[in-house]
Amino acid sequence: MTDKKQRRSHAWYGKLDKDGFIHRSWMKNQGFPDHAFDGRPIIGICNTWSELTPCNAGLRDLAEVVKRGVWEAGGFPVEFPVMSLGETQMKPTAMLFRNLLAMDVEESIRAYGIDGVVLLGGCDKTTPGQLMGAASVDLPTIVVSAGPMLNGKWKGQDIGSGTDVWKFSESVRAGEMSLQDFMAAESGMSRSAGVCMTMGTASTMASLVEAMGLCLPTNAALPAVDARRKALAHLTGKRIVEMVEEDLCLSKVLTKSSLENAILANAAVGGSTNAVVHLLAIAGRAEIDLSLKDFEIGGEIPLLVNCMPSGKYLMEDFCYAGGMPVVLKELSSFLRPANTVLGKDISSYAEGAECYNGDVIRSFDAPLKPAAGLRVLRGNLAPKGAIIKPSAASEHLLSHEGPAYVFENIEDLKANIDRSDLPVDENTVLVLKGCGPKGYPGMPEVGNMPIPRRLVEKGVRDMVRVSDARMSGTAFGTVVLHVAPEANAGGPLALVKTGDIVRVCAKEGILELKVSDEELARRRAQWQPEASNYERGYAKLYIDHVLQADQGADLDFLVGKDTRPVTRESH
């Protein structure tokens, strides 16, 4: 051992006693020599690689590249696995397990003798889950994202993850696309490792991580298979060692200002509605006061990035046009001063940025859409708020009033949505209950309900839809989401009946049920919550403790930090 600065890892690997012997000796069975334990920074590489999470399938290779950078900078890299959440593979929804991943990350970072951590994630819930866990421990932390897939290809045209799935599916239901063509498109959509190449939740969160300065510049958009992503991973490994030397812990980067910058950036890129629940949850772990009201600052920001589902291009095009540095340059007069993992203000991420395709990344003077940020809706139907994404909605439906047709749960919807005698028309407001955090459980991405078959066949492609669910960041439509409180928690949504008049006005921030208070009180007196189908394990823990959407849907006992050192030994 040397006289170098004593680090957190010293309590594991620096002691000249039985405990130090145990910690070092068992690590040495992997071939690490004595001098690896000389007091240099020990860097944990928190990896969500899994073959069941196709988005993150490239992270095994990226981890090796991060290690190169750590060794080069004089650190000692150690890779460890955490739960991997495959958005397209998990039932009932990956969101049910985001908080479990956060627990896994938090306890792994706390229990192991590491001085800093690199978070390797990509798929929708992995990035926020990792950041939530890391924020609760507060070591020096930096992110490397998996990166988006290459553009999908089918019949000579670009097709996008999720967005074109929804479009093609409706075309098949309308009889406009053959099942054979639908199945052929499946093979051309996902052509490489990486996350959805639309501006879905995964690419949204990667973009917001860059806007918050929690990764190196250009991290958001470089394709997963681009050699420059490996170079960035190498530089990230080098930088995390420097961050440990500088004691640049996560709380010195992740601040209220950086979260506000993420909200502004989400509006500019046409980002996912899921960013709301994730940023709220991350803020809760970091003990930062963030609420739905704060998201209103993005309401007047124009849509600058012309990517699906709000536009026509894909993430590969966004990368080649200049990526997030160009967006941050366009946002420069709105961004709050905020520190980054480079120890510089976020404005430094836009230095030298140049746009190479003005149709992919628009300027403030010629946006794709004006005032396109997420809107927070409130009213007697959503006392604690709801969300709508104007950039992905039909303009004529953003102010709408119509009779509700109610689906009591997802099974009701699936059993009846294609009925030829379903009493709906294009003015009907589809209402779905039982899909909030407690209800499903896990608040799934089913809020963009299918258009009833009888209307699809007539050419209807959008209707106002209201639920306590979420929707995929790749989805589109005039969809009101995250209604809080949810139906299963006794929110007013539980009291809606078919035929009730629902009013939505995005501009005024209104979601209103035109039913008298007296009638609602009468209905409430008769309402009974549904019995839970989960009586054991993590799902029961989740249902018993999950917060509502307006608070980020974290578990109530996980909000906040615990940065106390672990003093008790294992032997």
Side-chain angles (χ1 to χ4, degrees), residues 547-566:
L547 298 169
Q548 288 296 289
D550 64 300
Q551 295 175 287
D554 199 0
L555 302 185
D556 53 17
F557 60 85
L558 291 176
V559 175
K561 301 179 185 179
D562 184 356
T563 59
R564 296 174 296 173
V566 181

Side-chain angles (χ1 to χ4, degrees), residues 7-314:
R7 307 185 189 282
R8 181 178 185 272
S9 57
H10 177 86
W12 280 259
Y13 302 111
K15 296 189 293 185
L16 302 178
D17 58 9
K18 176 195 69 176
D19 296 319
F21 180 108
I22 290 171
H23 293 308
R24 290 187 299 273
S25 178
W26 266 261
M27 287 291 283
K28 286 180 177 179
N29 80 355
Q30 299 174 83
F32 295 121
D34 285 342
H35 72 268
F37 305 94
D38 61 3
R40 68 186 63 198
I42 296 182
I43 304 300
I45 301 174
C46 178
N47 200 346
T48 55
W49 172 88
S50 170
E51 289 180 341
L52 283 170
T53 308
C55 299
N56 295 1
L59 293 179
R60 174 183 275 177
D61 293 338
L62 279 186
E64 294 302 316
V65 180
V66 172
K67 291 176 189 177
R68 291 194 322 222
V70 173
W71 284 120
E72 179 190 346
F76 178 3
V78 283
E79 182 183 352
F80 63 95
V82 289
M83 188 178 190
S84 190
L85 309 183
E87 184 65 33
T88 60
Q89 309 300 317
M90 300 185 86
K91 295 182 179 182
T93 170
M95 182 62 173
L96 175 62
F97 306 106
R98 182 201 65 178
N99 300 339
L100 184 57
L101 167 61
M103 292 176 72
D104 189 355
V105 172
E106 175 180 347
E107 301 304 341
S108 294
I109 293 174
R110 180 178 292 116
Y112 284 112
I114 60 179
D115 301 302
V117 62
V118 179
L119 305 178
L120 296 187
C123 196
D124 296 16
K125 310 304 178 293
T126 54
T127 299
Q130 286 178 299
L131 280 171
M132 289 162 64
S136 289
V137 187
D138 197 23
L139 297 187
T141 303
I142 193 169
V143 175
V144 178
S145 299
M149 288 185 277
L150 298 176
N151 289 357
K153 298 287 183 180
W154 180 67
K155 288 193 171 182
Q157 65 185 22
D158 286 348
I159 56 174
S161 305
T163 304
D164 279 316
V165 176
W166 319 130
K167 290 180 180 178
F168 293 163
S169 178
E170 294 294 76
S171 294
V172 171
R173 295 174 70 230
E176 299 169 353
M177 183 180 192
S178 70
L179 185 60
Q180 183 178 1
D181 276 350
F182 184 69
M183 302 308 292
E186 172 186 314
S187 298
M189 183 163 283
S190 305
R191 300 192 302 118
S192 75
V195 304
C196 294
M197 83 298 284
T198 47
M199 188 59 76
T201 303
S203 289
T204 293
M205 292 309 300
S207 298
L208 303 194
V209 162
E210 189 167 337
M212 290 188 286
L214 298 177
C215 62
L216 296 184
T218 73
N219 171 74
L222 287 168
V225 294
D226 194 312
R228 291 173 294 176
R229 181 159 293 280
K230 287 188 175 181
L232 182 137
H234 184 123
L235 293 172
T236 300
K238 185 172 180 291
R239 178 58 193 156
I240 189 62
V241 175
E242 297 166 351
M243 289 174 65
V244 171
E245 300 283 5
E246 297 164 9
D247 193 28
L248 187 57
C249 57
L250 185 55
S251 62
K252 295 178 182 177
V253 179
L254 181 59
T255 63
K256 179 68 175 282
S257 293
S258 57
L259 287 163
E260 289 173 338
N261 289 338
I263 293 169
L264 296 169
N266 192 60
V269 302
S272 170
T273 51
N274 291 307
V276 178
V277 288
H278 296 324
L279 291 178
L280 288 168
I282 292 166
R285 295 301 191 94
E287 299 178 348
I288 296 169
D289 182 18
L290 191 76
S291 71
L292 277 183
K293 186 169 180 58
D294 291 300
F295 285 82
E296 294 173 359
I297 66 172
E300 298 304 315
I301 297 295
L303 177 62
L304 303 181
V305 177
N306 190 4
C307 275
M308 296 183 193
S310 298
K312 66 179 182 179
Y313 294 103
L314 298 168

